[in-house]
Amino acid sequence: MIDHDNAYEGLVDSDSHGQWAFGTGFDDPLAGVDTTVPDDADPHALAVYCLMLGDDALIAAQRLAEWSTRAPELEEEVALANVGLDLVGQARLLLARAAAADPAVVPHVSDTSPVPDEDALAFFRDDPDFRNVRLVELDNGDFAVSMVRLLVFATARLALFDRLRQSRDPVLAAVAAKGVKELTYHRDYAARWVVTLARGTDESRRRTEAAIARVWPYVPELFEPAAEELALAASGVAVDPSGLRQEFDAVMALTFGAAGLPIPDAPGVARVGGRAGRQGLHTEELSRILAEMQSVARAHPDGRW
């Protein structure tokens, strides 16, 4: 029987997954969805591809969560929280899809307390196992840095998801169809702020220009295809990101033109031994993010809320 005098009663369920952030009160994220891997697609490659897209969203959302209680205005705090929640939703579906495609990518956590696959992937992998681009790891900096980073990330991801709606994988197609609507808002929200800041005071323009200089070296990595992407693109499951740069540049040209800003021309951050974020090579910032994000789950792997 529900105790109506207990304000926390509805926050806790009694199932075996009750301790997990994604799992609490939710059903299987892929319940009722056909998770059969297309015949000519490599299951492991599909799993890694879903990790790439899911990790991008997860780490970007974690960075946005750091603005809670710190945003310039209450309205912006709510807006950033909602953008982050959209990305967490995308991450949950994509990580669950990765596990369904190839269970071998899921780390073992406990023999006594089952952990949902998407939570195991989020909270029990180490830095080299994450496949996100380095852009989303960047520290928040000031508000201008976060808005430029969000503009770049959302614009590239929207172009990708728009094409991914035609994927032969039904899960990716469904995630992309929903994500297009969310990412359109994310891109437009960030673009309005970049224009506002650039057209504002001398100080806000200076900060916007500094933010662009900080973020822009991480742009090329968004369009450098990993081997798994190329293999899956050949079978109509994934999208080759190198073909998205022209659309991205067109959106940036419109936004920067409205802001009265020059088009950036900066070299990309170097790879190390041919590796970057997609191959598990990250900045030191990712270690800090994961230390905070994963601390409770790792300290109490069998815990119950």
Side-chain angles (χ1 to χ4, degrees), residues 275-289:
R275 298 169 62 225
R278 294 298 192 218
Q279 293 77 36
L281 182 76
H282 300 284
T283 69
E284 62 184 13
E285 291 296 330
L286 183 62
S287 296
R288 299 189 180 101
I289 294 170

Side-chain angles (χ1 to χ4, degrees), residues 112-269:
T112 59
S113 181
V115 176
D117 289 337
E118 64 269 25
D119 287 304
L121 286 166
F123 299 118
F124 292 94
R125 281 182 297 154
D126 297 324
D127 305 22
D129 298 319
F130 275 75
R131 294 290 179 260
N132 56 278
V133 292
R134 290 173 289 180
L135 170 74
V136 296
E137 302 166 13
L138 295 181
D139 60 276
N140 282 334
D142 60 20
F143 192 67
V145 172
S146 288
M147 288 302 97
V148 172
R149 184 184 60 195
L150 179 59
L151 173 63
V152 167
F153 176 67
T155 300
R157 193 171 177 89
L158 176 57
L160 172 64
F161 272 40
D162 183 45
R163 290 159 178 78
L164 205 55
R165 290 184 293 178
Q166 306 304 317
S167 172
R168 291 181 54 244
D169 180 71
V171 180
L172 285 176
V175 173
K178 183 176 184 295
V180 160
K181 299 175 184 178
E182 298 168 340
L183 292 164
T184 299
Y185 168 75
H186 303 174
R187 180 198 63 185
D188 293 351
Y189 170 81
R192 285 195 298 270
W193 264 115
V194 169
V195 173
T196 298
L197 293 170
R199 293 289 189 181
T201 65
D202 290 343
E203 177 63 9
S204 69
R205 184 177 181 85
R206 181 191 71 78
R207 289 183 177 233
T208 305
E209 291 174 343
I212 294 168
R214 172 82 174 99
V215 169
W216 213 257
Y218 294 89
V219 168
E221 187 180 348
L222 294 166
F223 305 101
E224 296 169 354
E228 294 84 0
E229 290 175 294
L230 292 176
L232 292 169
S235 59
V237 172
V239 174
D240 180 352
S242 63
L244 306 176
R245 185 63 195 259
Q246 184 175 0
E247 179 177 336
F248 173 87
D249 287 342
V251 173
M252 292 298 111
L254 286 173
T255 304
F256 282 41
L261 293 166
I263 300 298
D265 183 18
V269 174

Side-chain angles (χ1 to χ4, degrees), residues 62-149:
Q62 185 70 12
R63 278 304 194 201
L64 289 171
E66 294 173 0
W67 276 108
S68 295
T69 75
R70 297 189 178 104
E73 297 177 346
L74 180 59
E75 182 178 352
E76 305 317 318
E77 187 165 306
V78 173
L80 292 173
N82 283 331
V83 172
L85 287 173
D86 287 342
L87 293 173
V88 167
Q90 293 176 18
R92 184 187 181 217
L93 291 167
L94 288 162
L95 295 183
R97 184 25 168 174
D102 183 7
V105 302
V106 182
H108 176 264
V109 178
S110 172
D111 292 323
T112 59
S113 181
V115 176
D117 289 337
E118 64 269 25
D119 287 304
L121 286 166
F123 299 118
F124 292 94
R125 281 182 297 154
D126 297 324
D127 305 22
D129 298 319
F130 275 75
R131 294 290 179 260
N132 56 278
V133 292
R134 290 173 289 180
L135 170 74
V136 296
E137 302 166 13
L138 295 181
D139 60 276
N140 282 334
D142 60 20
F143 192 67
V145 172
S146 288
M147 288 302 97
V148 172
R149 184 184 60 195

